[in-house]
Amino acid sequence: MKIHKRYISALVAMLFAVPVMAQVPAPAPKQSKPVLLKGATLHIGNGQVVENAAVGFDNGKITYAGPQSGANLSGYQVVDVTGQHIYPGLIQPNATLGLNEVESVKATIDWREIGDMNPNVRSVIAYNTDSDIIPTVRANGVLMTQLTPIGGTISGTSSIVQLDAWNWEDAIVKADEGLHLNWPYMLVETGNKEADERLKRMAGEREKTILELEKLFRDAAVYSAGKHDNLNLKLAAMTGLFDGSRKLYIHANYGKEIIEGVNFAKQQGVKEIVVVGARDAVAVADFLKTNNISVIYSGVHALPSRAEEDVDMPYKTPYLLHKAGIPFALDYDLSIHGTRNLPFIAGTAAAYGLDKEQALAAVTLNTAKILGIDKQAGSVEVGKDATLVVSSGDLLDMRTNNVTHAFIQGRQVDLNNKQKYLYEKFENKYKNQQQQVPTTATSSAAGK
């Protein structure tokens, strides 16, 4: 079939007419020369603040973090960020970012596997580094996330990734670091005969599920203790639970479920336990503290769990956990689009009792400690990865958060994204219309 040159020219013109800015920015190249940020207020992430500070980094690692007066400028490319603020890159735990693009389009959803017990499922291999959502998250200071599978009783293993990579292999910070267990819901009779009959059947299913869990954990413990000719992927994925090399994340909210789930895990010989969700964590704080259990709290921007609770209970729960001495981090409850609001839930916690630097730690260093990556991330300290952000305003305040620079392992990240492009596109459209209106009005008046 012969194609007219005119149609080819039109097609080429259409392709070049697609704005480049609407695409996902290419990952930044490896850091090629030392960089020194100077003049900003440094929020280290461990509670300390340094005024008029400097942060230097080379080959992706922080080489200096402290007062500007003590920095050696020799050989460094100096970036003046006077009047701004330097923060550690924020870390979002318990997220499906990159596993789900459009919730109404099934082909873009890859956050769960068929079946109920899937310890061998690896979330990281489904991670889409070309997601349009990822650049919008980086623009608010979130530079790392924990890819978390959902669904079933055991949904699979999570991995921690940085958010500027060509593929999932390049993105990995810590692979397959934890197994996720959705503890079966407890059921309470309602007094309604029909409803209670249904609940009774559900309670039977719950008991059956717990028995299956007990058998699976027992088999995994035996499997981990010996050598095997045949590989069992499900049992092999669980072996790290018994030597502490892999964490067990128990997703539970109701106080009795938290206690039951933690006791179950300890009875099975699990070494490292983290409770995720944890809406009732304050009610069982003594139990959590006694058993040295960390918490990833998901409910800051939520309604109270019970009618009798204070309306601001979710907002002040982080402060109450801190006061009780419970190690905790904050997340945005598995929302892919909500991940960009991670700094603002920390800001809400700061408005309801937490010190501002404590709130920052809840989305940086505390999270890194819970996820087991605090030796390389979570704070701006010498020897750690140069994963940090610079904001002209308070990063935790929605009104002033304005990230001007972001670095992941020393690489300067492109902060452009689809939302910024669309904002500028329509802002220019209406600016042009406003500029044209007075001219038209004047001409009409002159005509009269």
Side-chain angles (χ1 to χ4, degrees):
M1 183 176 65
K2 187 176 181 180
I3 301 177
H4 199 281
K5 290 182 178 178
R6 181 177 59 187
Y7 296 120
I8 296 176
S9 300
L11 178 60
V12 172
M14 289 173 63
L15 291 173
F16 280 100
V18 177
V20 175
M21 293 297 292
Q23 309 304 312
V24 176
K30 187 177 180 180
Q31 184 181 6
S32 59
K33 51 189 173 182
V35 174
L36 185 85
L37 308 176
K38 71 166 190 173
T41 298
L42 170 60
H43 304 262
I44 294 177
N46 60 3
Q48 299 179 29
V49 178
V50 181
E51 301 290 344
N52 194 23
V55 176
F57 46 94
D58 188 19
N59 292 321
K61 297 291 184 179
I62 297 172
T63 56
Y64 179 80
Q68 183 177 329
S69 58
N72 180 7
L73 306 182
S74 177
Y76 280 77
Q77 177 188 354
V78 178
V79 181
D80 191 346
V81 288
T82 300
Q84 300 193 56
H85 300 262
I86 300 174
Y87 299 90
L90 307 190
I91 308 169
Q92 162 75 7
N94 187 36
T96 57
L97 182 67
L99 304 179
N100 178 16
E101 192 72 6
V102 182
E103 292 186 3
S104 60
V105 181
K106 188 175 181 180
T108 73
I109 300 174
D110 204 2
W111 58 16
R112 67 177 298 164
E113 191 56 80
I114 295 172
D116 193 50
M117 304 284 184
N118 294 306
N120 54 307
V121 168
R122 304 179 66 213
S123 61
V124 71
I125 62 173
Y127 177 54
N128 175 25
T129 55
D130 290 323
S131 168
D132 279 332
I133 303 170
I134 291 173
T136 70
V137 169
R138 296 193 308 229
N140 274 3
V142 182
L143 303 184
M144 298 172 65
T145 190
Q146 180 194 34
L147 302 175
T148 305
I150 65 173
T153 301
I154 297 181
S155 52
T157 61
S158 58
S159 294
I160 301 158
V161 296
Q162 48 87 2
L163 300 182
D164 186 52
W166 287 103
N167 50 57
W168 65 264
E169 293 96 336
D170 293 343
I172 288 176
V173 174
K174 189 174 183 181
D176 307 319
E177 46 77 39
L179 190 71
H180 291 259
L181 167 61
N182 299 299
W183 191 252
Y185 296 120
M186 284 187 166
L187 305 167
V188 180
E189 292 185 0
T190 64
N192 180 289
K193 185 176 180 180
E194 292 184 4
D196 286 345
E197 284 294 326
R198 181 171 61 86
L199 288 173
K200 188 176 181 179
R201 291 194 298 272
M202 292 173 65
E205 290 296 321
R206 180 178 188 274
E207 291 178 8
K208 181 180 177 182
T209 298
I210 292 175
L211 289 174
E212 290 176 0
L213 281 172
E214 289 176 348
K215 183 179 185 305
L216 181 62
F217 274 78
R218 283 198 305 269
D219 290 347
V222 172
Y223 185 90
S224 67
K227 295 182 179 180
H228 310 277
D229 296 330
N230 297 319
L231 175 65
N232 185 311
L233 292 176
K234 288 192 174 185
L235 300 183
M238 299 176 67
T239 56
L241 298 176
F242 307 106
D243 62 14
S245 62
R246 183 170 289 181
K247 296 180 186 291
L248 179 65
Y249 295 92
I250 301 176
H251 294 249
N253 283 303
Y254 182 43
K256 290 184 177 180
E257 292 170 357
I258 293 172
I259 292 172
E260 186 181 42
V262 169
N263 283 336
F264 168 85
K266 292 181 77 67
Q267 288 167 6
Q268 304 304 320
V270 176
K271 301 296 184 183
E272 298 287 336
I273 303 168
V274 179
V275 175
V276 182
R279 297 288 179 89
D280 275 359
V282 173
V284 294
D286 290 342
F287 171 82
L288 294 172
K289 189 172 182 178
T290 299
N291 288 278
N292 195 28
I293 304 298
S294 299
V295 165
I296 296 176
Y297 180 64
S298 304
V300 175
H301 286 178
L303 292 172
S305 300
R306 299 174 179 80
E308 65 271 15
E309 286 184 347
D310 294 344
V311 69
D312 58 0
M313 185 63 185
Y315 308 152
K316 63 185 181 183
T317 291
Y319 166 70
L320 297 175
L321 290 173
H322 172 75
K323 189 177 178 181
I326 307 299
F328 74 95
L330 302 178
D331 77 11
Y332 208 83
D333 201 13
L334 284 172
S335 168
I336 51 170
H337 300 288
T339 300
R340 73 193 68 166
N341 293 323
L342 181 65
F344 310 136
I345 64 171
T348 299
Y352 281 82
L354 278 185
D355 174 85
K356 185 64 74 69
E357 300 308 312
Q358 293 168 349
L360 175 65
V363 289
T364 55
L365 187 56
N366 288 8
T367 310
K369 288 179 179 178
I370 290 173
L371 300 182
I373 57 170
D374 54 302
K375 291 184 178 179
Q376 65 189 99
S379 60
V380 184
E381 297 180 272
V382 173
K384 291 192 175 185
D385 289 349
T387 299
L388 49 91
V389 297
V390 181
S391 175
S392 62
D394 185 346
L395 190 70
L396 306 188
D397 187 341
M398 187 179 290
R399 299 164 299 179
T400 61
N401 172 301
N402 180 37
V403 175
T404 59
H405 303 76
F407 299 88
I408 293 179
Q409 297 168 342
R411 300 176 294 109
Q412 185 161 9
V413 176
D414 189 336
L415 291 173
N416 289 306
N417 60 65
K418 187 174 183 180
Q419 290 184 346
K420 285 186 177 180
Y421 162 73
L422 291 174
Y423 175 83
E424 292 170 1
K425 173 183 175 180
F426 288 102
E427 181 186 40
N428 290 333
K429 172 187 176 183
Y430 291 111
K431 275 184 178 179
N432 292 335
Q433 287 181 353
Q434 289 173 352
Q435 290 171 359
Q436 293 170 5
V437 168
T439 304
T440 304
T442 303
S443 301
S444 301
K448 292 181 180 179

